[in-house]
Structures are given as structure tokens and as C-alpha cells.
Amino acid sequence: MLPFSFHLSLSNSISFVNFAACSDDDEDIDVNQLEGNWGLVLDEGYEYYEGEKDSWSDSYDPANPTEDCEKITISKVSDNIYSVIHYYYYNNQWNQSDTEKFTLDGNNLLPVDEEDTEISSMKLLVANSSQLVVEIKGRDEEGDFYNKMTYKRL
């Protein structure tokens, strides 16, 4: 398994980019619930490396973090522009790793001031008072990749 932060360093926009709620997804997405602290509880996905498909499904407990744990803080900075600060747990403390901005367009996440051509789709699947689920699809020099991250409110 390659953690979300690894993908973030590869593409530098594997985080939240832009949210938009499509008609079928409206009941699962409440943009008023985006702001706050979120801990990664499930990281699922696959990618190709040297021709081999590498799949993973890893669970985490951000209340009892280990070296692989991640969390994010989402803040609204202006009309439809959000900031996401990424943290990773290392040496018994949370450390800030990256900050990104995104806008919302339905359930699609769109980065602000980033040009990542590897990501073809970044979607918000769930956003409510307790859970946030983000899905990322793309293609890099090794092949297709997919990542679904499930967060819980901290």
C-alpha cells in the first residue's frame, strides 16, 4: 500500500480539489460540513508499478495514530475556495506536510493554481457531519491508478 501522502507527493494534487454535488449524490454531500479536522480511517486503491498492479485496503485509527496515519484540516478561505492542510503522524506527533486549495463543482474537486495532468477525476462521494469520502482516478507513466480515502471527523 502506498499511503495518500505518497500519492500527494507524486501528483501534488491528490488532495481535495473541487467539490460539486450531482443530483444523485446530493443527499450524501453537505458542503456546509466540509470545514474541520478529518482523520483518515480507510485508504483503498491500486496503482501499477513496473507492470504489476499493486492494490491495498488499509485501515487507520486517527484517535490512536501510528506512523502511517494522516489527517487533514479543511477551511473555507473565500467564496467556493477551500484550503486543505495535510498532516502525517511521525515521531509521536502530527507534522504538517502540504497545503492545497480547491473549488467545488458538483461532486468534482478542482485544484486552484495546480496543473496535474495525471489526475483525470477527483470526486467527493460523501460529505456529512461525521464522514468524508474522496475518490481519485488517473493515469501516470506506469498506468491507471485509483484511490478512495475515507475520513472521519476528529
Side-chain angles (χ1 to χ4, degrees):
M1 189 282 322
L2 296 175
F4 177 65
S5 59
F6 174 77
H7 294 290
L8 180 63
S9 65
L10 271 180
S11 67
N12 207 17
S13 77
I14 293 235
S15 151
F16 299 82
V17 182
N18 193 13
F19 294 101
C22 296
S23 59
D24 290 343
D25 299 328
D26 285 346
E27 62 196 47
D28 294 330
I29 299 172
D30 181 357
V31 295
N32 295 319
Q33 297 294 328
L34 290 177
E35 292 186 273
N37 296 311
W38 300 92
L40 183 66
V41 294
L42 182 61
D43 183 6
E44 304 170 279
Y46 66 85
E47 67 182 0
Y48 286 89
Y49 181 71
E50 296 181 352
E52 298 290 322
K53 185 175 183 179
D54 180 25
S55 300
W56 63 88
S57 179
D58 297 316
S59 298
Y60 302 96
D61 181 2
N64 297 298
T66 61
E67 298 296 315
D68 291 333
C69 284
E70 297 178 26
K71 72 176 184 176
I72 57 175
T73 299
I74 301 176
S75 305
K76 188 171 186 176
V77 293
S78 65
D79 188 37
N80 200 35
I81 297 178
Y82 296 82
S83 171
V84 179
I85 302 172
H86 297 266
Y87 298 88
Y88 63 96
Y89 195 78
Y90 179 72
N91 203 18
N92 295 319
Q93 64 183 5
W94 289 104
N95 299 276
Q96 184 175 334
S97 64
D98 195 20
T99 301
E100 299 176 279
K101 290 184 181 174
F102 67 88
T103 61
L104 300 175
D105 182 18
N107 70 332
N108 295 302
L109 306 172
L110 304 173
V112 173
D113 298 329
E114 291 188 32
E115 296 180 19
D116 184 357
T117 58
E118 293 178 351
I119 305 247
S120 60
S121 169
M122 190 175 313
K123 293 185 178 185
L124 183 63
L125 301 180
V126 176
N128 58 44
S129 62
S130 62
Q131 188 179 52
L132 189 66
V133 180
V134 178
E135 176 185 72
I136 299 166
K137 296 178 183 178
R139 182 173 184 80
D140 61 19
E141 64 279 352
E142 298 279 342
D144 293 336
F145 61 86
Y146 173 83
N147 199 209
K148 180 180 172 185
M149 285 99 36
T150 301
Y151 297 86
K152 77 173 188 176
R153 188 174 298 277
L154 298 178

